[in-house]
Structure formats: structure tokens, C-alpha cells
Amino acid sequence: MVKKGLCVLILVAALVGSVFAQEKTDYKHQSFDMLLGLNFGFGITPNMGDVLDIQNSIPKGNYAVIWDTGITYDFYLFNWLSFNIGLLLHPDVYVLLDQDLEGVDDFTDIAASPLCLTIPLAAHINVPVVEWLYAGIGLSLNIPMSGMLDGLAGVDTKGDFFVGLPIDIGFDFVNPGRGGGRFFFRITPEFHEGGTAVPIGFIWQVYNWKL
């Protein structure tokens, strides 16, 4: 009986050991993994409809519509922690109003529309146990290159340099040892000289190539 019990304990220990060994090696990512990703993104402030309805008065507030497209580079320090940098093309249209406006004929009269070169810096985690859950926070440096509405507005709509604070949560579909996509939701407080706009949207990393 003792021998049988001992055999059962050894078998259980072996099985548990094999499970832990599997968990230690079969992570979605490994330390020192490097990924190159292709990104598309979009965001909008929930109140943007108020500024587009220019037939009525526009209530005071901060409004924005943003896009993102470009590449990012991920470096995994641990299997759950990565640091990211990239280079993005970032069109941004925003309106910052500290009082209600009436009789606006064209929102290009009050909008800034920078086409930015953006450098994102961020840290993300793959949540332990549920590694497909992906979350992070970062800093985006936005360098305006031109005003997209200059031709329509007849004035400079480029705006000034500004920073953003993107906060992400979503899904990591990258396959262990290979590449794959990600889709995550993003809220991005943007700190402009005249105020802060907070567009909400998503980032779709179409594919991440493992380097």
C-alpha cells in the first residue's frame, strides 16, 4: 500500500512538474523577443458631433479627431513586459473652445489641423496567465509638419508641438515564436497649448513580424 501511494505521489509530482515546465517555456513571448509592427489607428472625442453641427451654437469644450499609421518596434525585457518605440504619421484635427460659439460658418475657422510626425514611447504588459490581454501606457511626441486645412481656411492651421499620453487595453493575437496581430482600445489625452482633448479609439496592429 505504501509503495502504491509512493508511486502515485511520484506520478502526480511528475505531472505537476511537467505542467510547470510547460508554463515556464510556452509563453506567448520570451525575454529579448523583438517585433516590428504595422499600425493603423483612429480616435474621436465623444462630443465631436457638437462641433460638426455648425448650424447651431457650439458649446464650449475640447474636440478632436485623430488617425495613426506607421510602424512600431517592440522589445520584450521579460515575457510579460515590453518597451515600444515607433514612427507614425498622425493627422489630427482639434478645436479648443473656452466659451460657447454661435454663428460659425465653417469649423475650419476655429480648428487646428496638424499633420504630425509622431514618435510614440510606451511600456506594455501581457497579463500573466491571460497573456492575450494586453495593456500599457506611453508618451507620444507630436511634431506638426503642415496644416491639412490651410488651403480651405486660408490661415495657418498647423498648430504647435504637443504631447499625448496614450493608455491602451486590448488583445494580443501574436503566436508564440511567430508573428501576429493585435487590437486594442486607446484613450489619448492630448496636451495642447490651449487645453486638453481626449479622443477615444482603437489601434489595429495588422501584423507584427518577429525579428
Side-chain angles (χ1 to χ4, degrees):
M1 180 67 69
V2 175
K3 290 183 178 180
K4 288 184 178 179
L6 185 59
C7 290
V8 170
L9 287 175
I10 293 173
L11 180 60
V12 170
L15 290 173
V16 172
S18 66
V19 169
F20 282 125
Q22 178 72 13
E23 289 181 350
K24 289 181 180 180
T25 60
D26 193 24
Y27 292 118
K28 181 181 286 288
H29 304 285
Q30 300 292 332
S31 297
F32 309 122
D33 275 357
M34 294 179 286
L35 300 172
L36 184 67
L38 177 63
N39 298 251
F40 292 97
F42 175 79
I44 189 169
T45 54
N47 61 354
M48 192 63 191
D50 294 335
V51 75
L52 295 178
D53 188 9
I54 59 176
Q55 295 179 351
N56 301 318
S57 63
I58 302 173
K60 67 178 181 180
N62 298 334
Y63 309 84
V65 178
I66 64 174
W67 300 264
D68 284 298
T69 182
I71 58 173
T72 52
Y73 167 81
D74 288 35
F75 174 78
Y76 272 83
L77 183 60
F78 307 112
N79 65 287
W80 54 273
L81 175 64
S82 65
F83 295 98
N84 325 103
I85 191 171
L87 189 61
L88 306 174
L89 196 62
H90 177 84
D92 198 320
V93 179
Y94 62 91
V95 180
L96 308 174
L97 301 178
D98 57 6
Q99 62 182 5
D100 296 350
L101 288 185
E102 295 186 8
V104 179
D105 295 326
D106 193 332
F107 89 102
T108 58
D109 294 337
I110 56 175
S113 63
L115 176 62
C116 300
L117 186 65
T118 295
I119 301 172
L121 306 168
H124 288 87
I125 63 170
N126 290 83
V127 179
V129 183
V130 283
E131 293 181 288
W132 49 265
L133 187 59
Y134 184 75
I137 188 170
L139 179 71
S140 59
L141 310 176
N142 299 283
I143 306 167
M145 297 185 297
S146 65
M148 296 181 294
L149 300 179
D150 285 0
L152 297 174
V155 296
D156 181 11
T157 66
K158 183 173 69 172
D160 300 315
F161 170 84
F162 63 95
V163 300
L165 189 69
I167 302 167
D168 305 326
I169 185 166
F171 310 99
D172 185 344
F173 303 115
V174 176
N175 297 303
R178 294 182 291 163
R182 291 191 181 110
F183 185 89
F184 46 94
F185 299 97
R186 169 171 288 179
I187 179 171
T188 310
E190 289 187 345
F191 303 99
H192 301 282
E193 184 176 351
T196 301
V198 188
I200 301 170
F202 64 87
I203 298 292
W204 177 32
Q205 292 186 340
V206 182
Y207 198 81
N208 292 277
W209 290 269
K210 186 172 181 181
L211 302 179

